[in-house]
């Protein structure tokens, strides 16, 4: 099965093989070296000179660790325009007073509302950079700039951007960012990586969950260890995935992600399909997942079943309130032209058979050939 | 390196190979079948007909999920006689009023104190079944009986007992139990499995951490899914590890663990070494980890370094307040006579060279030959 979903991504053979090793002691120097290497590459990926911590758990565990660990007397404002933005709001509500700024799914944030909330006294902003549920890239730099003016803490869920698109924590002024191993890093799911600025510790809350207490991770990282037994095979895999990122180079990797997603968008628009998100120039189309409206004349289930059964390709449907209305193609990790062309061709086959679109595969090929 | 530590254990080749597969969609029927199979075997391991949930995270994540999810208006009493018992107390303090009953490390609980705490109004008891830091097996059935008399909830950390020694939740009256994948189940680290009785939900607290909220796991398990992206390779591995448990049979597996640890104890005592824990008949020696005092004339570091460098065998030292005073041999998972004899012979070699013990390896062999 070819996974063209917004994670877990297809994992490179090298990374799968890296997991085929006997366990090692997690308090050993050998494990420490893996942790040191992973932290070095992850700092590049996040664009920070700050600390980087590794949690055995999903991206959501990383987001909660960030919000909970830095929730001391914080009055949060959350920006929400999709499922994962809403999750950030739900998590923040468990730890702090929160003003949840809700916008329509797939529509840009109104940043005037953010300014108002900060003027009224909010001192922490949390949001999703790349909103996977709608295919929207939210304007992180702009948000951080506004937050900075008010001295507010910024926490950014970069779960589906870091490693596939620009994340420049130090340059933009983001204090905490989170990524999941199974997205643009190209590794299997099960690890969250959290990058933390010095300033974030002013907001440290010792009453956060024990397992997600970033101070424990900081303390143990000084000995190149994790506070609790780490998911060793996933660290073997992450190490290999990050070696691939080093070999490819981060700039080239980001350029590749951008090109692959541009090919998907060019194809969709030229085939007569409609993209779901409505960017305004500040908010942009995501470069790691493309959300497309399901055309009249076919259901989401019919489309996805045909792709799975006839071609062995898995794409995603819509979640929650857009269930049945959109389908989503992930262009994350270590895939290339082959996988994208195969996927678009298969979708064309299914939709042209029903006379719902016209062929536009050559448009995609032209982008990919650039 | 042969891992003879109390987890992560040496992983069977079949289990390592099971991880060498491409990722699958975590909302697919294929993943659902893995979850169903794992839950079936885990119910046997826990001795329960209740629910079983899978958290991508370490055993500690499972313990916190249990305490936090069932902390509604609970007044906890915790029983502590080692490092992991203390951790249970520390976690409980983040969620509830707690009376922490502390006993000397390696000494039995005074259960009269538990009765008093329950009479004074505590309505939840949390404790560690097999205390890995000291090699003590605490009297779970007895504790559950006392708790039951007072209608109290019982939460048991069975991280290093389940799968290697008897855990009979339904028979004993334990409401919640937790195990880690990397101990007696024989799988790699990174998954916690939590078993939950119906009664536990009377204590449900919706203000628990989002990632560790067992209600979300219950809701999603009904669709054979997990609420957040699971660590897929670790599920491939756990499935294979549980197939091995089914093939061996739980009773035979427990008998094997008991025999291996008995061989270690017989050897140690006959060699002239001293065991660390002081069981009283209710509390017993652990059957999955043996803690032995370091004899005068050698340091913990010297012993462990010699084993690692000369033989490629990893045993554990003591943690926290018994650091340097004891060493610990794990007899967990899918190991057998070969690994135990090799380990004891290697230790003998190092200690006899310094004239600190006499040879007793034949005593171990006699036990193993039974």
């Amino acid at each position: 099965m070819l996974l063209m979903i917004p994670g877990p991504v297809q994992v490179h053979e090298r990374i799968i093989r890296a997991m085929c090793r006997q366990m090692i002691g997690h308090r050993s120097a050998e494990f420490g070296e893996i942790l040191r290497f992973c932290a070095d590459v992850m700092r590049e990926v996040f664009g920070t000179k700050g600390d980087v911590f590794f949690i055995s758990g999903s991206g959501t565990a990383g987001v909660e660790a960030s919000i909970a660990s830095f929730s001391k007397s914080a009055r949060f404002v959350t920006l929400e325009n999709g499922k994962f933005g809403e999750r950030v709001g739900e998590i923040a509500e468990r730890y702090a007073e929160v003003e949840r700024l809700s916008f329509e799914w797939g529509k840009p944030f109104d940043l005037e509302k953010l300014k108002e909330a900060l003027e009224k006294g909010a001192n922490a902003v949390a949001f999703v950079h790349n909103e996977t549920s709608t295919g929207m890239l939210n304007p992180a730099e702009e948000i951080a700039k506004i937050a900075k003016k008010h001295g507010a803490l910024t926490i950014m869920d970069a779960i589906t951007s870091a490693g596939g698109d620009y994340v420049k924590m130090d340059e933009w002024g983001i204090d905490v960012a989170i990524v999941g191993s199974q997205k643009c890093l190209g590794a299997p799911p099960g690890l969250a990586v959290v990058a933390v600025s010095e300033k974030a510790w002013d907001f440290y809350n010792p009453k956060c969950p024990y397992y997600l207490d970033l101070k424990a991770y900081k303390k143990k990282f000084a000995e190149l260890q994790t506070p609790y037994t780490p998911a060793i095979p996933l660290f073997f895999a992450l190490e290999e995935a990050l070696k691939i990122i080093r070999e490819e180079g981060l700039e080239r990797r980001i350029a590749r992600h951008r090109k692959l997603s541009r090919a998907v968008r060019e194809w969709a628009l030229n085939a007569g399909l409609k993209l779901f998100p409505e960017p305004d120039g500040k908010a942009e189309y995501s470069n790691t997942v493309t959300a497309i409206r399901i055309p009249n004349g076919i259901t989401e289930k019919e489309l996805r079943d045909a792709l799975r059964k006839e071609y062995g390709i898995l794409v995603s449907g819509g979640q929650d309130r857009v269930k049945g209305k959109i389908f989503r193609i992930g262009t994350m990790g270590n895939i290339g032209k082959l996988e994208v062309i195969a996927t678009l061709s298969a979708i064309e086959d299914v939709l042209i058979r029903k006379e719902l679109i016209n062929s536009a595969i050559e448009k995609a090929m032209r982008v990919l050939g650039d």
Side-chain angles (χ1 to χ4, degrees), chain A:
Chain A
M1 190 73 65
L2 175 61
L3 297 188
M4 295 297 287
I5 59 180
V9 298
Q10 198 79 4
V11 170
H12 194 290
E13 195 194 355
R14 271 175 61 183
I15 298 171
I16 291 180
R17 267 198 253 123
M19 278 190 293
C20 298
R21 284 169 58 190
Q22 189 51 261
M23 298 309 105
I24 57 175
H26 57 295
R27 308 284 178 212
S28 66
E30 195 181 354
F31 184 78
E33 274 314 302
I34 295 175
L35 216 52
R36 184 202 305 271
F37 173 79
C38 289
D40 282 349
V41 183
M42 285 310 306
R43 272 190 288 265
E44 287 173 38
V45 168
F46 281 122
T48 185
K49 294 200 186 331
D51 288 328
V52 173
F53 308 118
F54 298 84
I55 299 172
S56 293
S58 82
T60 299
V63 172
E64 185 164 26
S66 304
I67 291 175
S69 294
F70 303 120
S71 60
K72 183 193 168 190
S73 74
R75 287 172 59 192
F76 271 87
V77 49
T78 58
L79 296 160
E80 310 178 16
N81 59 356
K83 180 181 170 73
F84 294 97
E86 290 179 1
R87 182 172 290 180
V88 166
E90 286 166 20
I91 292 173
E93 278 180 339
R94 299 208 181 191
Y95 299 97
E97 207 182 299
V98 192
E99 183 168 356
R100 294 177 61 175
L101 298 178
S102 276
F103 305 94
E104 226 177 293
W105 282 32
K107 294 274 173 70
F109 301 140
D110 175 356
L111 294 179
E112 289 305 315
K113 299 244 193 264
L114 171 61
K115 287 178 195 163
E116 285 165 26
L118 290 166
E119 275 156 21
K120 279 189 294 174
N123 64 356
V125 182
F127 68 101
V128 172
H129 187 203
N130 189 71
E131 180 54 76
T132 330
S133 65
T134 66
M136 182 87 105
L137 185 70
N138 289 313
E141 190 174 3
E142 184 86 7
I143 292 165
K145 214 161 118 185
I146 296 167
K148 214 173 181 178
K149 251 189 212 157
H150 293 81
L153 181 80
T154 50
I155 297 178
M156 178 168 88
D157 167 344
I159 290 174
T160 59
S161 57
D165 210 333
Y166 290 105
V167 172
K168 300 182 175 182
M169 284 181 68
D170 292 355
E171 188 183 320
W172 297 348
I174 304 282
D175 293 300
V176 187
I178 307 101
V179 73
S181 52
Q182 80 279 23
K183 310 287 186 179
C184 303
L185 302 179
L191 295 179
V193 194
V194 183
V196 177
S197 73
E198 263 311 304
K199 174 182 152 192
W201 296 103
D202 295 343
F203 295 80
Y204 175 66
N205 174 12
K207 294 295 256 176
C208 61
Y210 191 88
Y211 187 68
L212 303 174
D213 183 342
L214 290 174
K215 191 155 249 176
Y217 288 82
K218 187 175 171 67
K219 193 178 152 204
K220 276 297 186 182
F221 191 83
E223 307 165 35
L224 288 177
Q225 292 184 14
T226 55
Y228 317 111
T229 311
I232 293 169
L234 304 182
F235 279 88
F236 291 156
L238 184 65
E239 180 187 31
E240 191 67 25
L242 297 181
K243 279 182 188 167
I244 290 174
I245 291 184
R246 272 268 169 94
E247 289 166 25
E248 181 173 22
L250 193 58
E251 283 291 331
R252 281 175 59 200
R253 189 176 182 88
I254 291 170
R256 175 170 56 79
H257 276 82
R258 291 188 154 201
K259 182 187 278 190
L260 296 180
S261 59
R262 192 154 55 82
V264 175
R265 291 195 299 269
E266 283 290 308
W267 164 80
L269 292 170
N270 281 286
L273 290 164
K274 281 192 183 121
L275 300 176
F276 178 72
E278 297 175 26
D280 62 353
K282 283 180 180 167
E284 293 171 51
Y285 289 114
S286 164
N287 293 303
T288 67
V289 57
T290 303
I292 301 169
R293 286 182 187 275
I294 301 270
N296 289 332
I298 193 167
T299 65
E300 183 208 298
K301 189 175 179 323
E302 282 166 348
L303 173 60
R304 294 179 64 212
D305 281 357
L307 292 173
R308 197 178 69 246
K309 288 176 192 163
E310 291 179 40
Y311 287 94
I313 295 175
L314 202 63
V315 301
S316 288
Q319 296 164 291
D320 295 353
R321 70 186 71 172
V322 293
K323 202 176 167 79
K325 293 184 187 161
I326 63 172
F327 67 102
R328 295 175 299 144
I329 303 171
T331 44
M332 292 176 178
N334 296 314
I335 59 158
K337 277 164 89 163
L338 183 150
E339 290 83 359
V340 169
I341 285 295
T343 303
L344 300 181
S345 302
I347 299 172
E348 271 206 7
D349 180 32
V350 176
L351 295 181
I352 285 178
R353 250 187 274 160
K354 295 201 158 223
E355 296 181 10
L356 296 175
I357 61 167
N358 50 281
S359 175
I361 198 75
E362 55 147 325
K363 300 282 183 186
M365 287 200 265
R366 209 168 302 157
V367 174
L368 293 171
D370 272 354

